[in-house]
Amino acid sequence: MTALPWGGDPPGPPRPQLIRAVDYHTAGEPFRVLTDPLDLPGRSVAERRQHAIDNPEVNRLRQLLCYEPRGHADMYGGFITPPDDDGAHFGVLFWHKDGFSTACGHGTIALGVWAVQSGRVEPSATGATEVVIDVPSGRVLARVHSAGQRVTGVDFINVPSYVTATDVHVPVLKKTTAVTLAFGGAFYAIVDAAGLGLRVTPAHLPDLIAAGREIRRRLDDSPHVQHTADPRLSGVYGTILFEDLGLDADGNLLQRNVTIFADGEVDRSPCGSGTCARLAALHAAGQLGAGQGLTHESIVGSRFRARVLDTVSVDHRPAVIPQVTGNAYKTAEHVFTVDPDDDLTPGFVLR
């Protein structure tokens, strides 16, 4: 287990502390892994998340790895923890600049690749290795497909995802727009960007961020985003602003989206757990034909492919078991230094 890097020095002059991490990106969105498990109290990952939220030293470590000069305002990552029980390989606490999230699909995909490439989970001779991960919203699966030493793709199979409300009208950017609220491990507000006079392009990003922030603020206390089984999962995590692009070459729905999460952070990927919420909304609205999936494109042009594996019921609501397919790639290995004389530790953000 990893001790916090400022847990005290032995007698003598203070020494720089070292923190080891590895970086991946999934469809352009970063994911930084502190590779040694953190020793946090709690019987489950959900309980450990609450401890992390309440613990100043754990938050200091999150800030150190996320904030400038070692990170940036849109950095994302995870702390490895023990699993809830022997049914999973490990647990994870997902973090960003504003705190600890309840779900992260792009992070799950990255962790699947990391687990196989690092040898933490032995690759299957079949070429499809199942990495089972406990996250705050439940137990998820990363099925890692390999050809020899090369990872060719990852299927992220999420917790049941479902719609809680449709046509919730919200004033935003001096207009009124209809919002769908859906759960995909976290609650998302889903909005057609065209209704706000916007396109999902980098040129419109400042307005997309402003809209995402405003919608989240207006709906965060809505009764439609109160989780009935676990109040710790309640509240709007992100706003998905989408643009309908018709069909892809395989006849699947093609949509471009940007997810604005936490306090104005921009997901460079199509957002894994958000794609699950979007898939649930499309299924509930009858917009997915038989055997039809969703090709979800991000604001930078990267793509996830999603489909419904099964239908179930959650609290008497129809729900789907979603699968989101993408890939992740290692970008760096780090040994971060914490100099005891550095008065900017743990760092800063400019947004």
Side-chain angles (χ1 to χ4, degrees):
M1 297 292 179
T2 295
L4 295 176
W6 35 79
D9 283 307
R15 299 180 304 173
Q17 301 291 331
L18 304 179
I19 305 169
R20 300 182 188 278
V22 60
D23 279 9
Y24 283 79
H25 85 83
T26 305
E29 178 71 359
F31 194 78
R32 177 165 289 166
V33 187
L34 185 71
T35 53
D36 294 325
L38 278 185
D39 189 8
L40 299 175
R43 295 170 296 177
S44 67
V45 172
E47 290 184 5
R48 294 184 186 102
R49 174 177 177 264
Q50 191 59 53
H51 173 82
I53 290 170
D54 297 336
N55 188 305
E57 292 301 289
V58 177
N59 274 285
R60 186 171 163 89
L61 178 58
R62 171 184 61 81
Q63 292 164 351
L64 182 88
L65 293 170
C66 186
Y67 286 9
E68 297 182 54
R70 298 170 186 84
H72 50 82
D74 294 292
M75 192 65 200
Y76 211 105
F79 297 146
I80 303 301
T81 75
D84 291 357
D85 57 50
D86 291 341
H89 291 102
F90 53 87
V92 61
L93 299 180
F94 298 118
W95 50 256
H96 47 75
K97 77 174 176 65
D98 298 305
F100 294 89
S101 54
T102 62
C104 179
H106 93 273
T108 300
I109 290 171
L111 286 167
V113 177
W114 166 75
V116 170
Q117 290 183 337
S118 67
R120 187 180 183 96
V121 175
E122 184 177 353
S124 170
T126 66
T129 306
E130 295 195 342
V131 181
V132 184
I133 307 170
D134 283 330
V135 307
S137 56
R139 180 162 287 175
V140 299
L141 174 68
R143 183 180 295 116
V144 182
H145 299 278
S146 304
Q149 299 299 311
R150 178 171 168 259
V151 173
T152 58
V154 181
D155 301 326
F156 160 51
I157 301 171
N158 199 9
V159 299
S161 302
Y162 51 87
V163 172
T164 58
T166 59
D167 292 324
V168 178
H169 289 87
V170 176
V172 57
L173 300 185
K174 300 182 180 180
K175 300 177 184 291
T176 298
T177 192
V179 178
T180 295
L181 294 162
F183 182 78
F187 283 103
Y188 289 90
I190 303 170
V191 178
D192 188 340
L196 296 173
L198 298 175
R199 302 228 22 224
V200 182
T201 65
H204 286 212
L205 188 57
D207 286 337
L208 292 165
I209 293 172
R213 277 176 154 163
E214 187 173 353
I215 291 167
R216 179 179 183 266
R217 177 177 58 82
R218 291 186 180 277
L219 292 174
D220 198 37
D221 293 328
S222 165
H224 302 303
V225 293
Q226 303 307 307
H227 197 279
T228 56
D230 188 347
R232 295 170 297 191
L233 304 179
S234 297
V236 175
Y237 173 60
T239 302
I240 301 170
L241 298 118
F242 74 89
E243 183 176 357
D244 193 349
L245 302 179
L247 302 178
D248 70 6
D250 297 318
N252 297 309
L253 295 184
L254 176 59
Q255 297 189 344
R256 181 184 298 125
N257 92 99
V258 63
T259 299
I260 310 301
F261 65 95
D263 184 21
E265 295 181 52
V266 179
D267 199 326
R268 275 73 171 157
S269 83
C271 186
S273 55
T275 295
C276 296
R278 187 76 192 110
L279 194 68
L282 291 167
H283 184 270
Q287 293 179 258
L288 287 175
Q292 193 176 43
L294 168 67
T295 298
H296 220 198
E297 185 173 292
S298 75
I299 197 167
V300 302
S302 57
R303 290 182 173 185
F304 287 156
R305 291 175 290 111
R307 65 188 182 97
V308 174
L309 294 183
D310 201 358
T311 57
V312 294
S313 177
V314 175
D315 292 331
H316 308 293
R317 289 191 181 98
V320 302
I321 303 297
Q323 175 179 286
V324 177
T325 300
N327 209 344
Y329 304 91
K330 184 189 286 189
T331 59
E333 295 184 12
H334 301 281
V335 180
F336 291 110
T337 298
V338 183
D339 191 309
D341 295 324
D342 184 355
D343 59 3
L344 284 180
T345 301
F348 57 91
V349 288
L350 290 177
R351 191 182 75 239

